[in-house]
Amino acid sequence: MTASAAELLASAPCGVFSVDVSSGRILYANVAASRITARSRDSLEGTPVADLFGAEFAPVLAGLLDAASTSDSDVPIGTAAQLTGAPGRASSTAVSVLANRLRSESGAMTVTMTLHNETERRVREKDLVDARIYAEAAQDDAEAALDRSQDALGASEQARKLAEAERTQVQILASTLQRTLLPPILSAPTGMNVAAHYHPASLDEVGGDFYDVFPLDKDTWGFFLGDVSGKGAGAAAVTSLTRYTLRAAAVFDRNPISVLENLNTVLHHEFHGDDPRFCTVVFGTITPQPNGAVVHLASGGHPPAIRITHDAAVDFVDTTGGQLVGALSEPHFESASVTLRAGDVMAFYTDGLTEAIVGPGRTRFDDNGNLETFVAEMGPTTAPKIVDDLTTLLASFGDGLQDDVALLAFDVPVPDTGSVEA
């Protein structure tokens, strides 16, 4: 494990244990594990993992470790549990546990256990629910104020101003919540350019489109872009959970399909009841190379990425067949690998772009392959330029743009050969 990867693991937001299968003792614990269990990392390492849980959980724990260490699947095995109080503390902590196997360099079989503090998660969920209730109440107040102003037929200017003020407050709340779901800055892979844009279809509702770019180690970056079903605070809650899960899953297994499988496990478990939620996602890794980069990606029901070469050739990355994330217990995801050369660009987008209404009979923008034509007409490009061009295109749709759109693009710059010898 590189120093950078070790730092990412140590600072991961969820608790992580490495457990030796033969002895049942903890070999490693990160900072979050220390916080969740209320024990120091030094005291955790070497402790039998069974000591952290009540005696009634011992058979379940033994079965979990056995299943995780013997399973042929890379999908973690999970359960719920109660951590016993630390020495001197009587309280216990509700957690969810995910476990999967890992063979160490010495050949010993270990199980990696991930702990999520359910109390902390429920507090976050309550905050999001409260925000949704507040937004809905503010929206109801704004609509009521608008009705009053219409009934008065303009006779009450004060009521009209009140309605406008209340709607402004709703828009402020929606835009503030939306900003929390998008990264404030993007970390460009070494030697590459990155650009992104978020275009909301409405100022009154929080959308479910999202993206991020982040380093996995000094050589490789992770990225994702996706679209959660629905709008409003409910979609915002799913978006927040999705972004957190994708980042956390990539720390432990950066294989794009494995990352999507982990996300599917979380979403299907959390939202398979009366309020099903799902999303389309593309997740991938980028490893810069001399004069290029290698991209490995997987798609769960998401529109295909588009590549523009240095000589303006345009093609789509084939990920046909990838299924929605969170909708099925065992979906199928499609992966692909692409090598970018100097001057090449790879762009990602959500379906608000391709499904914008541009003609009679609800004709959509990309019904006849117009996206490929548009990109080809732009000629050789860069990540910032293709994002700017697509942003201008979105503005031209007017009211035909009925869904939010997220854009993300990378490029490998052309080496500067313009220097002249003195």
Side-chain angles (χ1 to χ4, degrees):
M1 179 183 299
T2 66
S4 178
E7 292 171 1
L8 287 171
L9 180 60
S11 62
C14 56
V16 180
F17 292 131
S18 178
V19 180
D20 179 67
V21 173
S22 61
S23 68
R25 293 183 180 273
I26 297 173
L27 303 177
Y28 168 84
N30 71 348
V31 174
S34 174
R35 183 188 75 249
I36 294 172
T37 61
R39 294 169 169 83
S40 69
R41 294 176 71 186
D42 289 341
S43 67
L44 285 172
E45 293 174 0
T47 297
V49 69
D51 289 356
L52 302 182
F53 303 91
E56 70 282 356
F57 188 65
V60 178
L61 178 62
L64 181 68
L65 291 175
D66 181 66
S69 63
T70 58
S71 173
D72 292 330
S73 172
D74 290 330
V75 177
I77 299 170
T79 188
Q82 288 284 133
L83 290 173
T84 59
R89 294 178 57 180
S91 62
S92 61
T93 303
V95 295
S96 59
V97 182
L98 291 175
N100 59 3
R101 66 177 182 175
L102 179 69
R103 190 174 293 278
S104 69
E105 294 179 357
S106 65
M109 178 64 71
T110 63
V111 167
T112 298
M113 297 180 63
T114 305
L115 300 183
H116 296 266
N117 189 320
E118 291 297 292
T119 301
E120 294 177 353
R121 179 181 66 81
R122 290 164 186 165
V123 169
R124 290 194 297 270
E125 288 180 350
K126 183 179 183 302
D127 289 342
L128 287 169
V129 170
D130 289 344
R132 176 177 62 188
I133 294 173
Y134 177 80
E136 290 174 347
Q139 182 68 44
D140 290 342
D141 290 343
E143 292 174 352
L146 182 59
D147 289 341
R148 290 193 298 271
S149 67
Q150 291 174 339
D151 292 340
L153 297 176
S156 177
E157 180 66 12
Q158 184 62 34
R160 184 185 65 82
K161 290 181 178 179
L162 177 60
E164 291 179 350
E166 289 176 340
R167 185 178 183 189
T168 298
Q169 290 300 315
V170 173
Q171 293 176 348
I172 292 173
L173 176 63
S175 63
T176 300
L177 183 56
Q178 189 75 70
R179 285 196 296 271
T180 67
L181 302 176
L182 299 173
I185 58 173
L186 294 177
S187 176
T190 301
M192 298 181 67
N193 295 317
V194 62
H197 176 72
Y198 186 89
H199 188 103
S202 170
L203 298 177
D204 298 327
E205 290 186 298
V206 181
D209 292 11
F210 58 92
Y211 59 82
D212 205 353
V213 181
F214 52 97
L216 290 170
D217 56 43
K218 65 182 180 66
D219 299 317
T220 303
W221 274 252
F223 69 90
F224 54 78
L225 180 140
D227 182 5
V228 168
S229 61
K231 291 185 180 296
V238 182
T239 299
S240 179
L241 177 61
T242 298
R243 294 183 70 248
Y244 166 81
T245 303
L246 286 170
R247 271 182 166 262
V251 171
F252 305 117
D253 187 348
R254 65 185 59 177
N255 179 284
I257 286 185
S258 297
V259 171
L260 294 188
E261 288 173 341
N262 279 317
L263 174 61
N264 187 81
T265 298
V266 172
L267 293 185
H268 190 68
H269 176 268
E270 292 289 335
F271 300 102
H272 68 280
D274 296 334
D275 185 25
R277 295 281 182 169
F278 53 85
C279 61
T280 68
V281 181
V282 58
F283 173 88
T285 62
I286 297 179
T287 304
Q289 305 286 338
N291 200 35
V294 176
V295 181
H296 299 294
L297 59 86
S299 173
H302 201 77
I306 192 166
R307 175 175 59 176
I308 308 99
T309 67
H310 64 281
D311 55 358
V314 176
D315 63 84
F316 290 93
V317 179
D318 186 9
T319 50
T320 305
Q323 295 176 312
L324 294 172
V325 182
L328 305 172
S329 60
E330 295 183 3
H332 173 74
F333 302 124
E334 282 291 335
S335 63
S337 297
V338 178
T339 298
L340 301 179
R341 303 301 183 189
D344 290 354
V345 176
M346 180 169 282
F348 305 84
Y349 52 91
T350 53
D351 61 10
L353 166 63
T354 54
E355 295 183 359
I357 304 302
V358 296
R362 301 191 63 80
T363 301
R364 299 177 300 182
F365 168 67
D366 199 41
D367 280 350
N368 298 311
N370 288 336
L371 177 59
E372 181 176 2
T373 301
F374 175 85
V375 172
E377 289 175 352
M378 297 299 103
T381 188
T382 63
K385 185 176 185 303
I386 193 61
V387 168
D388 285 346
D389 290 338
L390 290 173
T391 300
T392 300
L393 175 65
L394 293 174
S396 73
F397 293 153
D399 293 339
L401 188 62
Q402 300 181 347
D403 197 4
D404 304 311
V405 178
L407 304 171
L408 178 66
F410 302 89
D411 76 59
V412 179
V414 176
D416 184 6
T417 58
S419 60
V420 180
E421 295 184 1

